[in-house]
Amino acid sequence: MIVLGIESTAHTFGVGIVQDKEPYILADARADYVPEKGGIHPRESSRFLASMAGKVLSEALSEANVKPSEIDAIAVALGPGLGPCLRVGATVARTLSIYLSKPLVPVNHSVAHIEIGLLLTNSRDPVVVYLAGGNTMIVAYNEGRYRVFGETLDIALGNLIDVFAREVGLGPPYVVKGVHVVDKCAEEGGKLLDIPYTVKGQDVSFSGILTAALRLYKKLIAGKADYTLNDICYTVREIAYSMVVEVAERAIAHTGKKEVLLVGGVAASKALQEKFKAMAKYYDVEVKVVPPKYAVDNGVMIAWTGLLAFKHGVTIDPVKAVVRQRWRLDEVDIPWRK
Amino acid sequence: MAKIELIRKGAEAYLYKTYMLGIPVIIKHRISKEYRDKVLDYRIRYHRTILEAKIIGTLRLRGLPVPAVLLVDPAKAILVLEYIEGTMLKELISRDIELSKRIFMELGKYIGIMHSESIVHGDLTTSNVIVRQSDNKPFIIDFGLAHYSNDIEDQGVDIHLMLRSLESTHPKHVDVLFKEFLKGYTSVRGEEYTRKLLDKVKEIRMRGRYVEERRLKKI
């Protein structure tokens, strides 16, 4: 069975082609929208994605060396994500499905991040820590669905470090040679400043960290501080990452699971991985990290999740395949893990 | 010297069972975490130890079923607490739903009283309630994240956490058990406040990422 998957939830137009036997991945084509300054503007990003869609699609088909007729199903991420961007992928997928007379499979982007992580790290039943620009969640499978054990009550971890980097002039770009600029800046720091540590049960809140860090920064540029920007970065990193590790730890204690899997763009942070490894020693838990290439948005994860779903009869009528910007991962039935 | 037995490795503390003056007790030791900055680590453990002791004391005075504090050593992050012989509520739900219903109503009442005392638990889950064997009284434990607050937002987080721990570990029994919980809670805090609090819970759930509106009709 061969499935083609399309990702376009935010800043990446990705087309992946996978099959149900090794080597699972047949093609992985992508185009990333990189804003010149500031964050992602949904309209600007969607225009970029639309302009690249055709090229990325044909790249994937030639890389996989399959004819469109050999594909069994078209999978698409219908959410969650940015509306204008989601519509680009949905339009391409609906068109392909109708034109080629292939079934269309709806995929939840967050579930796809988890599934590709499970496949590539050989995890069985982990506590999943999903950290990205727009998501911070602690998730574990239970009774037919991925259940949310904790999440951010306001902004996401990726959002916190990106916005902080931008406001203090460290980025964009936010990631240089695979290292986030805040992580890099923190390496030279070591003084713990006064920034709130906010864990509410299994949930976290990052907005107070951002406010406090920016206040410290203002004091610094006014020349009234006995600390450096490195110390602020160090404190932001220590507090924010420790909060995430603590809530993950609580989920491990609560569920008794024996693996923890880090997925999403922020999972690539070495500093964060070190903290997770140090935590795992206290339990008998194995830490697994999705390879950096598949930690960020890509079409392969959509194709792979689409394949799992399609094998269990999940399809959608192209006419009804509308995008869902706020589609929660705990609303999705996961028949393939039963 | 009584035997000291490690009975649970919790998320932030190790629990040891032993005897003090012949009474069964729990030693709660907040362990140092290698993954945290040393200053941050000390700060968190010191403050949580003191706060937990203070809060349990306040609740005892109000007559709520919480384990008594017998000793506090914040610098070592150690608390010695009364040992409660019983079952975790989480385990009871799958075993005896009728009894669980009764317990949820009683628990709702206790949480109502706790909130009237301006105390929020901060980690209210089905793992943090022990149903005492001798009289089926639900003892609320682990006040490690509890704090004093009159803020309806913080109280809403308590309710949200209880609801979510039900949703994530006992999805089949959410509605019936949460209804009983609210019955108890309302009996202490009144219809009007409870309604307001539930609106707040909705708002908190809306703030979580990617929440769809229709999901909220449940409460």
Side-chain angles (χ1 to χ4, degrees):
Chain A
M1 180 182 288
I2 296 176
V3 174
L4 179 145
I6 297 173
E7 154 69 28
S8 83
T9 59
H11 52 85
T12 300
F13 192 89
V15 175
I17 300 175
V18 302
Q19 62 181 2
D20 56 351
K21 54 179 188 282
E22 286 190 44
Y24 299 102
I25 302 167
L26 300 178
D28 173 14
R30 343 171 166 187
D32 289 312
Y33 170 68
V34 183
E36 277 169 37
K37 59 177 170 43
I40 298 164
H41 190 299
R43 184 190 59 213
E44 299 303 322
S45 178
S46 72
R47 282 180 183 165
F48 171 83
L49 301 182
S51 73
M52 299 304 286
K55 185 170 164 274
V56 175
L57 184 60
S58 43
E59 262 174 36
L61 286 168
S62 58
E63 185 189 336
N65 201 17
V66 294
K67 290 197 260 329
S69 58
E70 294 171 280
I71 291 164
D72 294 281
I74 307 294
V76 61
L78 289 179
L82 306 170
C85 307
L86 284 167
R87 278 176 211 111
V88 175
T91 306
V92 174
R94 284 187 297 244
T95 311
L96 280 176
S97 164
I98 293 167
Y99 184 71
L100 300 171
S101 301
K102 302 288 182 188
L104 186 62
V105 184
V107 170
N108 179 292
H109 174 88
S110 308
V111 170
H113 267 298
I114 297 174
E115 290 300 341
I116 197 70
L118 293 174
L119 173 73
L120 298 176
T121 60
N122 274 319
S123 302
R124 280 176 305 277
D125 185 21
V127 165
V128 182
V129 182
Y130 174 28
L131 305 170
N135 285 284
T136 302
M137 278 184 174
I138 313 294
V139 176
Y141 178 82
N142 185 29
E143 298 195 29
R145 288 188 182 185
Y146 288 112
R147 311 278 171 180
V148 177
F149 279 81
E151 64 193 313
T152 176
L153 295 169
D154 38 60
I155 58 175
L157 177 57
N159 199 213
L160 163 73
I161 54 176
D162 285 358
V163 172
F164 176 72
R166 188 161 79 222
E167 293 294 318
V168 303
L170 290 170
Y174 304 112
V175 178
V176 178
K177 288 183 194 151
V179 181
H180 197 281
V181 288
V182 173
D183 273 354
K184 182 85 198 147
C185 171
E187 281 169 17
E188 303 293 317
K191 186 170 174 181
L192 194 82
L193 309 171
D194 201 14
I195 282 180
Y197 182 99
T198 316
V199 171
K200 295 183 177 183
Q202 289 183 162
D203 289 331
V204 291
S205 159
F206 293 119
S207 60
I209 297 182
L210 184 58
T211 312
L214 292 178
R215 195 182 301 130
L216 289 169
Y217 179 67
K218 262 188 206 141
K219 218 173 129 190
L220 177 73
I221 50 174
K224 291 179 201 155
D226 57 351
Y227 49 79
T228 63
L229 179 59
N230 302 99
D231 292 330
I232 307 179
C233 287
Y234 175 76
T235 308
V236 167
R237 183 186 82 179
E238 284 306 309
I239 302 240
Y241 290 1
S242 297
M243 281 163 54
V244 171
V245 177
E246 184 179 356
V247 289
E249 198 176 354
R250 282 172 184 275
I252 289 165
H254 189 77
T255 60
K257 299 205 191 245
K258 289 292 166 209
E259 298 164 308
V260 54
L261 172 64
L262 309 185
V263 304
V266 186
S269 165
K270 284 275 172 291
L272 184 79
Q273 290 174 17
E274 287 310 312
K275 285 194 185 305
F276 267 96
K277 281 179 193 146
M279 178 269 280
K281 277 194 296 189
Y282 292 92
Y283 304 85
D284 199 9
V285 179
E286 208 180 333
V287 182
K288 294 178 167 179
V289 185
V290 64
K293 193 177 167 195
Y294 294 100
V296 293
D297 295 353
N298 63 84
V300 170
M301 67 182 195
I302 307 300
W304 174 247
T305 310
L307 186 142
L308 295 172
F310 185 58
K311 282 201 159 185
H312 286 79
V314 180
T315 58
I316 191 168
D317 179 352
V319 177
K320 291 182 184 141
V322 292
V323 304
R324 298 173 69 182
Q325 298 184 53
R326 290 172 176 272
W327 188 14
R328 271 182 80 90
L329 89 166
D330 54 3
E331 291 176 65
V332 185
D333 285 321
I334 310 292
W336 57 88
R337 303 209 79 83
K338 265 173 197 161
Chain B
M1 184 72 194
K3 193 177 99 185
I4 297 181
E5 180 195 359
L6 175 65
I7 58 163
R8 194 175 157 225
K9 284 184 173 186
E12 63 166 340
Y14 285 3
L15 300 182
Y16 301 86
K17 190 186 173 187
T18 185
Y19 291 85
M20 211 167 90
L21 305 171
I23 313 167
V25 297
I26 288 288
I27 298 174
K28 178 170 182 173
H29 180 214
R30 284 188 160 74
I31 39 172
S32 175
K33 301 284 163 126
E34 222 180 282
Y35 65 79
R36 284 197 291 240
D37 172 274
K38 284 210 163 48
V39 177
L40 178 64
D41 188 63
Y42 186 79
R43 223 189 255 173
I44 290 172
R45 292 160 64 222
Y46 186 94
H47 286 295
R48 285 185 183 168
T49 302
I50 290 191
L51 195 62
E52 183 167 10
K54 254 184 175 168
I55 281 173
I56 293 174
T58 310
L59 294 177
R60 289 279 299 187
L61 288 174
R62 264 310 253 112
L64 290 196
V66 291
V69 177
L70 306 171
L71 193 117
V72 189
D73 186 343
K76 288 198 183 114
I78 283 175
L79 274 184
V80 179
L81 301 156
E82 173 193 5
Y83 177 78
I84 309 294
E85 183 76 55
T87 318
M88 230 188 254
L89 181 54
K90 179 175 142 183
E91 279 150 24
L92 190 80
I93 295 172
S94 15
R95 244 179 25 218
D96 189 342
I97 189 72
E98 281 312 310
L99 177 61
S100 299
K101 273 162 74 177
R102 226 186 64 219
I103 282 165
F104 263 85
M105 158 116 126
E106 210 173 324
L107 186 63
K109 216 185 292 173
Y110 296 150
I111 301 303
I113 296 171
M114 189 175 89
H115 285 176
S116 317
E117 288 294 313
S118 303
I119 290 170
V120 293
H121 185 278
D123 189 17
L124 198 60
T125 65
T126 47
S127 303
N128 280 336
V129 177
I130 302 280
V131 180
R132 186 158 71 181
Q133 203 170 36
S134 56
D135 55 1
N136 285 336
K137 222 177 188 15
F139 274 70
I140 307 160
I141 60 159
D142 195 357
F143 288 83
L145 290 174
H147 57 280
Y148 289 94
S149 167
N150 236 332
D151 194 350
I152 189 164
E153 155 98 25
D154 291 333
Q155 303 187 351
V157 170
D158 264 357
I159 307 297
H160 160 65
L161 290 174
M162 177 46 79
L163 184 55
R164 220 207 12 233
S165 92
L166 273 174
E167 283 171 346
S168 53
T169 44
H170 317 284
K172 286 180 197 124
H173 304 302
V174 178
D175 293 343
V176 48
L177 293 177
F178 192 60
K179 205 176 113 198
E180 293 300 319
F181 180 86
L182 283 181
K183 237 188 252 171
Y185 193 89
T186 312
S187 74
V188 177
R189 308 227 69 190
E191 294 274 351
E192 200 194 321
Y193 184 82
T194 308
R195 198 60 249 162
K196 244 171 64 188
L197 184 66
L198 285 179
D199 285 343
K200 197 71 194 177
V201 175
K202 275 189 200 174
E203 194 196 308
I204 291 165
R205 306 195 126 209
M206 277 292 273
R207 247 177 281 147
R209 308 295 294 187
Y210 306 137
V211 181
E212 279 198 301
E213 205 121 6
R214 61 168 189 75
R215 228 175 95 85
L216 300 166
K217 287 187 186 141
K218 249 200 333 221
I219 53 169

